[in-house]
Amino acid sequence: FSTKWKDELAASAKAESEVFLKSPRKDELLAALKELPKSEDPELGSIVGPFCLPAIWRGRNIAVDIDFHHCLVSRVLRRQQWAKVAPELEVKEISLADWDKEASSTHRAHLLQQIL
């Protein structure tokens, strides 16, 4: 990519992170995290390559890609790029349909627990 493209992608990822960190979806994630057994606190809204990940547990090398943030790139395309932009991370996906299936932090905590 040219420098202009890299700059634009970096700006897009930064904007995506800022939107996520101000959104009610971040609050949903925090509420679900409170229901999990105490462990390492994840980084929220982290920028990895040209993308934003809602949560990363660096000590476990695991990240969660939940399709509720405002990424211009689809989950399918992101999935194809994780090995290149974050080879040290195992990126697990949670679909928006699964996340919103039940509007309870207990349900969402269960989804997170399954992948952690």
Side-chain angles (χ1 to χ4, degrees):
F1 289 114
S2 70
T3 301
K4 181 173 173 44
W5 269 101
K6 288 180 183 176
D7 292 346
E8 292 295 324
L9 288 171
S12 174
K14 183 178 183 224
E16 181 184 346
S17 176
E18 289 170 355
V19 167
F20 169 71
L21 291 172
K22 294 177 185 174
S23 77
R25 296 295 189 168
K26 182 196 85 173
D27 298 333
E28 293 172 2
L29 180 57
L30 286 172
L33 290 168
K34 285 180 184 176
E35 297 211 17
L36 294 176
K38 186 63 181 157
S39 66
E40 170 191 5
D41 289 333
E43 297 174 20
L44 299 179
S46 295
I47 297 171
V48 178
F51 308 114
C52 172
L53 283 166
I56 298 176
W57 288 264
R58 295 274 181 198
R60 296 180 181 194
N61 294 329
I62 293 176
V64 176
D65 184 14
I66 306 173
D67 204 23
F68 56 51
H69 51 285
H70 306 280
C71 184
L72 299 174
V73 178
S74 75
R75 188 166 41 116
V76 173
L77 292 175
R78 289 193 309 270
R79 182 184 310 135
Q80 295 172 359
Q81 298 300 313
W82 290 128
K84 293 177 186 172
V85 299
E88 74 284 4
L89 292 174
E90 181 179 357
V91 179
K92 304 284 192 164
E93 298 176 8
I94 299 175
S95 72
L96 184 59
D98 286 341
W99 187 260
D100 283 345
K101 187 175 183 178
E102 294 179 35
S104 75
S105 57
T106 302
H107 164 73
R108 293 171 178 147
H110 178 70
L111 292 173
L112 292 171
Q113 187 65 48
Q114 287 178 323
I115 62 175
L116 294 174

